[in-house]
């Protein structure tokens, strides 16, 4: 017979379990009141929070990097300032050492006049046979005695003479330089004056030559203009005489109608030679105008007749339109009456059906247990 104790398929069991878990997860999402009523996307909010934290971390890292760069720049500036201070200190020390070494007080030219140890360093005025330095009781020098007076005066005279010679030579050089500068200035002024005179003379000569050339040119133009006017006047007189002779001898003043005929066709004329139409031409024009008036009168009568017919057609069309509009109005009124009766019938039937439902069908109101069977699945 039939075998009923079949083994359970593990794939089917896994599929059922997977569907059951998916349904449970879906119910947890669908039946979540906060997500359902407010419409909040928790995953999106969490992503936004993560992005905000990432952005804040990135901004903080950038600010930390900027702070580190600022600190490094400040340290570098401080180090450079210290190096500059050290360099200035070394320069000042070297300057002081140079001053102590090369610009000492005892190395000055007038140090012998300000030396506080001058008396100690001075040698005695007279040399003693036993002691070249002589003692304090040797009485080799007395108050008011000047043993180097002659030598000092000779040295001062020589020095004054050298100074005077130097000043005189300097003044001579200055005078020579001044004389040379004055000579150069005078020569430059003379040269500039000669050049200005030469340029002025050349300018006057150029202006004189230009004025003469302009005068000659104007005179030539005037002669040419006078000659041209004389030729134009003579030519105009000749042309006027020829025109008068042509009019007198020609056929224009003879009133010849053949003179107005154009060589381009029989129906064309030369307007400056035309003397008017002949009587035969005028009669032909008058007869043509009479025929045209008769034709225009007939055409006007035909158009008036056609317009009357159109007016009759428009009147008949307006009357037919009014009749059709009245019929359409009557038809719409009948349709509205029929629709009103049908609506009244439907309302009566609906009220009767509602009364039937309230009195016959809806006699057993649902309880709370009835509503608990709903919303148990996410599908």
């Amino acid at each position: 017979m039939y075998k009923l104790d079949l083994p359970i398929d593990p794939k089917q069991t896994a599929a059922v379990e997977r569907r059951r878990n998916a349904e449970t997860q879906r119910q947890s999402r669908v039946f979540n009141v906060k997500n359902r009523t407010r419409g909040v996307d928790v995953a999106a909010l969490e992503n936004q929070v993560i992005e905000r934290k990432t952005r804040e971390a990135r901004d903080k890292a950038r600010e930390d990097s900027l702070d580190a760069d600022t600190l490094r720049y400040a340290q570098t500036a401080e180090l450079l300032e210290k190096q500059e201070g050290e360099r200035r200190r070394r320069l000042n020390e070297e300057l002081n050492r140079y001053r102590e070494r090369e610009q000492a007080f005892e190395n000055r030219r007038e140090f012998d006049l300000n030396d506080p140890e001058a008396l100690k360093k001075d040698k005695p005025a007279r040399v003693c046979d036993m002691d070249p330095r002589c003692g304090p009781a040797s009485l080799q020098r007395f108050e008011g005695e000047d043993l180097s007076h002659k030598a000092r005066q000779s040295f001062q005279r020589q020095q004054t003479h050298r100074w005077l010679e130097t000043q005189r030579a300097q003044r001579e050089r200055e005078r020579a330089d001044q004389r040379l500068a004055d000579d150069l200035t005078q020569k430059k002024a003379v040269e500039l004056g000669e050049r200005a005179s030469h340029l002025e003379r050349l300018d006057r000569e150029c202006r004189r030559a230009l004025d003469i050339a302009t005068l000659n040119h104007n005179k030539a133009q005037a002669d040419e203009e006078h000659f041209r006017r004389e030729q134009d006047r003579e030519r105009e007189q000749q042309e006027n005489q020829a025109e008068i002779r042509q009019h007198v001898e020609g056929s224009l003043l003879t009133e010849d109608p053949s003179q107005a005929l154009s060589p381009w066709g029989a129906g064309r004329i030369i307007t400056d030679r035309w003397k008017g139409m002949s009587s035969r031409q005028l009669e032909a024009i008058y007869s043509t105008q009479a025929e045209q008036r008769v034709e225009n009168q007939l055409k006007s009568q035909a158009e008036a007749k056609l317009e009357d017919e159109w007016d009759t057609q428009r009147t008949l069309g307006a009357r037919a339109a009014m009749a059709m509009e009245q019929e359409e109005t009557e038809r719409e009124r009948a349709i509205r009456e029929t629709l009103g009766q049908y609506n009244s019938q439907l309302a009566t039937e609906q009220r009767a059906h509602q009364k039937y439902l309230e009195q016959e069908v809806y006699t057993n109101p649902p309880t709370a247990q009835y509503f608990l069977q709903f919303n148990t699945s996410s599908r």
Side-chain angles (χ1 to χ4, degrees), residues 54-170:
T54 305
R55 185 171 59 254
E56 290 177 354
R58 186 171 59 252
D59 295 341
K60 187 176 183 303
R62 185 173 65 254
E63 291 178 358
D64 293 341
S65 177
L66 293 176
D67 293 340
D69 292 340
T70 304
L71 181 60
R72 186 171 63 257
Y73 295 154
Q75 292 176 356
T76 305
E78 184 178 1
L79 180 60
L80 293 175
E81 186 176 359
K82 288 182 180 180
Q83 292 178 356
E84 182 67 20
E86 184 67 22
R87 187 178 64 84
R88 290 182 180 179
R89 186 182 62 79
R90 288 197 303 271
L91 290 176
N92 292 331
E93 290 179 355
E94 292 178 358
L95 180 61
N96 292 330
R97 285 196 297 271
Y98 174 79
R99 288 175 178 174
E100 293 175 357
R101 185 177 64 254
E102 303 293 338
Q103 298 179 354
F105 182 72
E106 58 271 10
N107 295 333
R108 294 184 180 181
R109 186 176 58 182
E110 66 277 5
F111 176 72
D112 56 341
L113 303 177
N114 300 319
D115 189 5
E117 303 293 334
L119 296 177
K120 295 180 180 180
K121 296 177 181 178
D122 194 10
K123 294 181 180 181
R126 297 177 179 85
V127 179
C128 182
D129 295 335
M130 296 179 64
D131 188 2
R133 302 289 297 176
C134 295
S138 62
L139 299 177
Q140 296 296 316
R141 185 178 181 182
F142 299 95
E143 184 70 25
E145 188 177 9
D146 189 4
L147 299 178
S148 61
H149 175 68
K150 294 180 179 180
R152 187 174 65 256
Q153 283 186 347
S154 176
F155 177 74
Q156 289 178 353
R157 283 194 298 270
Q158 292 176 2
Q159 188 176 12
T160 304
H161 181 69
R162 286 195 302 270
W163 287 350
L164 291 175
E165 288 295 330
T166 303
Q167 292 178 0
R168 185 179 62 79
Q170 185 176 2

Side-chain angles (χ1 to χ4, degrees), residues 270-306:
I270 301 176
T271 56
D272 57 349
R273 300 180 184 179
W274 189 57
K275 300 301 180 180
M277 292 184 295
S278 62
S279 58
R280 186 174 56 187
Q281 292 176 347
L282 292 175
E283 290 177 359
I285 291 174
Y286 293 154
S287 61
T288 303
Q289 290 178 351
E291 292 176 358
Q292 290 178 353
R293 283 195 295 271
V294 173
E295 291 179 359
N296 291 333
Q297 186 176 5
L298 294 175
K299 186 184 296 184
S300 300
Q301 292 176 359
E303 290 178 355
K305 184 177 180 181
L306 181 62

Side-chain angles (χ1 to χ4, degrees), residues 319-337:
R319 291 178 180 176
M322 291 178 62
M324 292 176 64
E325 185 177 359
Q326 291 179 357
E327 292 178 359
E328 185 68 22
T329 303
E330 292 292 335
R331 189 181 304 107
E332 290 179 357
R333 185 177 59 79
I335 291 173
R336 285 196 298 272
E337 291 179 355

